[in-house]
Amino acid sequence: MAESTRLVDLVQDALDAFLDEREPQLAGVAAELTGFLDYARDLLRGGKRFRALFCYWGWQSVSGLQTGVDTFLDESEPRGLDGVVRAARALELFHAAALVHDDIIDSSDTRRGGPAVHRRFEEQHRAGGWTGDPENFGRSAAMLFGDLLLAWSEEAFDDAVGDIPRDAAKAARAEFNQMRTEVMLGQYLDILDEQSWRNHPESEMLSRAHRVIVYKSAKYSVEAPLLIGAVLGGATAAQLASLSAFGLPLGIAYQLRDDLLGVFGDPRVTGKPAGDDLLEGKRTVLIALARTKLPPHAARFLDELLGDRSLGPDQVRMLQTAIKDSGAVDHVERIIQHNVSLATAALNDASLTASSREQLLELASEATRRTS
């Protein structure tokens, strides 16, 4: 996937340039704000760049048909490439903001093997011997930092669509705005279900968990980046429909894999504690399925321990074993495969470039078989 590798490098260069441009602005306000840039550089360095890649291949899948150029490896800079790189940059900035806010909401200690941003601010408070509550300062500062990243994502997207025809810019903006709205609403539904699940019928548990997957993650992780890129490439309604039919089930499979890793992932690979979703009390599809398969007394025991942050390693392993032995893990794996099959089938007769179909299938495999 040499072309994808080059795209990742271009997006990283664009992110670095964006932060470099904002350094004088922050320094001009106050010297203490330079730490914001250090945290932003750390958060925006590396990562899998799935959203950037889906954005690019959404663009390439339709623009390549129009130009007859099915790859940019031998092109110095095909027309439109700069715009899609800038759009991918905006997506990565938005994703970084979402991670910061998500870690605050979940009271997560780590992110990618290092301290979460709110913990870094908290430690800054402690190291300085400042007055007040370090934890409160850490949460407040990180919330503002996440808001700044959100504002920057808006600036970056404006930059991406500034030089394209008005109708295409308007359509791309509509996709970007819808994505951001759905993520916020999906995040709320997630925390709502963590707190209010006892107030809903047992029969709704699975559908409510599926709803969270769709709006908090699936659409924003795969479908929206694909559609944004495709709109920038001048996609037809039929092409957008094909990419949506591919992106939504793949996004569901992507998040289901994430849910499995949140319970069973290796901390050395995920950068998160073992059984992190169990400690956070996530009411995922995995948990909903396990509850239907466990004996009533075991399901009640799961409910009692889920979300207890004082659980020790032995208790986490006990819950992991109960969930796995219930058959819920195998069930989720079947759902993942079903959704990958739906996504794959959507590309069969799609009017997209040959290289993009091949690369999208590779990305589908990477996104759903990953270990972190």
Side-chain angles (χ1 to χ4, degrees):
M1 297 181 72
E3 190 164 357
S4 291
T5 300
R6 182 179 171 192
L7 185 277
V8 168
D9 291 340
L10 289 174
V11 172
Q12 185 62 61
D13 290 344
L15 285 166
D16 291 340
F18 185 93
L19 296 178
D20 288 345
E21 290 167 4
R22 273 135 194 87
E23 186 168 7
Q25 180 184 17
L26 269 63
V29 174
E32 295 91 336
L33 296 175
T34 56
F36 270 42
L37 283 171
D38 293 336
Y39 292 176
R41 292 187 196 282
D42 289 345
L43 194 59
L44 289 163
R45 186 176 294 116
K48 300 175 186 65
R49 302 285 190 231
F50 279 129
R51 290 158 190 83
L53 288 167
F54 282 119
C55 182
Y56 169 74
W57 287 110
W59 172 76
Q60 176 64 16
S61 69
V62 299
S63 65
L65 288 180
Q66 299 167 4
T67 64
V69 178
D70 205 18
T71 175
F72 73 72
L73 283 176
D74 298 323
E75 300 284 321
S76 58
E77 187 171 315
R79 183 178 179 184
L81 176 62
D82 184 62
V84 79
V85 168
R86 290 169 185 261
R89 173 175 67 179
L91 287 168
E92 291 297 326
L93 283 163
F94 176 77
H95 179 50
L99 293 180
V100 172
H101 287 154
D102 198 47
D103 286 343
I104 297 170
I105 291 169
D106 294 337
S107 297
S108 297
D109 294 327
T110 60
R111 170 62 61 184
R112 295 174 180 166
V117 169
H118 63 285
R119 298 302 185 202
R120 294 184 69 173
F121 279 116
E122 181 182 324
E123 180 53 36
Q124 185 181 358
H125 183 289
R126 287 199 173 92
W130 302 339
T131 61
D133 179 18
E135 290 189 10
N136 183 59
F137 173 80
R139 286 192 301 270
S140 300
M143 182 169 59
L144 294 169
F145 175 69
D147 289 347
L148 178 63
L149 291 173
L150 277 176
W152 282 351
S153 74
E154 177 80 11
E155 291 182 38
F157 200 80
D158 281 345
D159 185 49
V161 300
D163 296 326
I164 66 174
R166 182 178 178 181
D167 288 347
K170 184 178 179 180
R173 163 65 65 189
E175 294 289 352
F176 187 67
N177 288 344
Q178 180 172 329
M179 174 196 73
R180 293 187 301 170
T181 297
E182 288 174 342
V183 171
M184 302 303 177
L185 298 178
Q187 181 70 274
Y188 172 74
L189 292 175
D190 188 25
I191 63 173
L192 175 67
D193 285 350
E194 286 178 24
Q195 303 295 322
S196 68
W197 65 273
R198 293 184 186 275
N199 295 67
H200 304 290
E202 189 77 25
S203 59
E204 293 183 4
M205 296 296 181
L206 186 58
S207 63
R208 294 178 72 89
H210 182 269
R211 182 178 66 176
V212 169
I213 278 183
V214 169
Y215 290 103
K216 181 185 174 183
S217 178
K219 295 173 81 64
Y220 128 83
S221 296
V222 182
E223 185 189 27
L226 276 171
L227 296 182
I228 289 169
V231 168
L232 292 175
T236 64
Q239 289 171 323
L240 291 174
S242 294
L243 289 169
S244 182
F246 168 80
L248 184 55
L250 179 59
I252 291 170
Y254 173 91
Q255 183 56 41
L256 288 171
R257 175 62 61 203
D258 209 51
D259 291 345
L260 288 174
L261 292 172
V263 174
F264 299 101
D266 184 343
R268 295 168 296 182
V269 180
T270 64
K272 289 281 190 177
D276 196 45
D277 279 5
L278 300 176
L279 301 175
E280 293 177 3
K282 296 291 185 183
R283 291 279 162 178
T284 61
V285 166
L286 174 66
I287 297 300
L289 288 172
R291 293 182 75 257
T292 65
K293 297 172 181 293
L294 287 167
H297 70 280
R300 287 193 297 271
F301 184 68
L302 174 62
D303 288 338
E304 289 173 6
L305 295 186
L306 195 66
D308 184 348
R309 292 185 176 276
S310 68
L311 293 180
D314 290 342
Q315 291 169 304
V316 168
R317 281 192 293 270
M318 182 172 56
L319 287 178
Q320 290 171 326
T321 299
I323 294 168
K324 187 172 184 178
D325 290 348
S326 75
V329 173
D330 291 337
H331 195 155
V332 170
E333 290 286 2
R334 291 194 297 272
I335 298 174
I336 290 173
Q337 188 52 53
H338 173 68
N339 278 280
V340 171
S341 296
L342 290 176
T344 300
L347 294 181
N348 288 340
D349 299 318
S351 179
L352 307 171
T353 63
S355 66
S356 68
R357 287 199 298 271
E358 179 183 339
Q359 296 297 334
L360 287 173
L361 290 174
E362 284 197 38
L363 280 173
S365 178
E366 285 187 24
T368 56
R369 295 182 182 180
R370 70 191 194 284
T371 57
S372 67

